[in-house]
Amino acid sequence: LDFEDGPSLAEWRASLGRPPRQDELDRITSLMIDAVEVVHNGGILHRDIKPQNIIMRGGTEPILIDFGAARASLGQRSKTVHAIVTPGYSPKEQYALDVDRQGAWSDIYALSATMYHAIMGRPPEEASARQLQDNMLPIEEHMDPNNKSRYHPSFLKGLNAGLTLSPRKRPATIEALREIIYEGRTAE
């Protein structure tokens, strides 16, 4: 892979000093959905989407990096697999060693958690803790009341759907997530 220079999405978000605008998030989300779609169409799961694995080339163009977890998954056919998780960004099914439970819906959770971080400046509650008691409200209920109107309802609806704890209730494909996020409007 080429070396990519720029801040991570987490660093970019922190440097803004404010929550990103909808147009900024639309550009990032649209390009990330496209990237994840290419990965999935190649029969690969990234398995480690998080703000630290997105480099903002030139401060504006997100580049998905670090396919180490994807490589580990590909090699699992002949080796012992270890659960690869990042608290706050990994879905509950990724905590299990059975990779057959994982699919596009797992990367959708991680991408939605990453965009949650972009809005809120922090990750959502860890999925393993949510299994015991799910206090995850819709994103808009966690937001500062002054920021609620910043974001299109379909964008928040898509992220809420992607953060659903049950894999069966999440969008099953990246295209399904795209449809929810951009419902009634066009992708940037």
Side-chain angles (χ1 to χ4, degrees), residues 6 16-17 23-24 29 33 51 57 66-67 89 96 107 116 119-120 134 146 150-151 163 168 171 176-177 183 185:
L16 285 177
D23 64 314
E24 293 168 320
T29 304
I33 284 174
R57 182 192 294 160
D66 194 356
F67 284 78
Y89 303 100
D107 279 349
Y116 176 102
I119 292 171
M120 303 298 289
D134 191 3
N146 297 325
R150 294 184 96 134
Y151 305 106
L163 285 168
R168 291 187 181 127
L177 178 65
E183 183 180 339
R185 58 199 193 109

Side-chain angles (χ1 to χ4, degrees), residues 49-68:
I49 299 170
K50 59 187 175 186
Q52 295 80 1
N53 284 343
I54 298 171
I55 298 298
M56 297 298 289
R57 182 192 294 160
T60 60
E61 183 182 5
I63 306 295
L64 183 60
I65 64 167
D66 194 356
F67 284 78

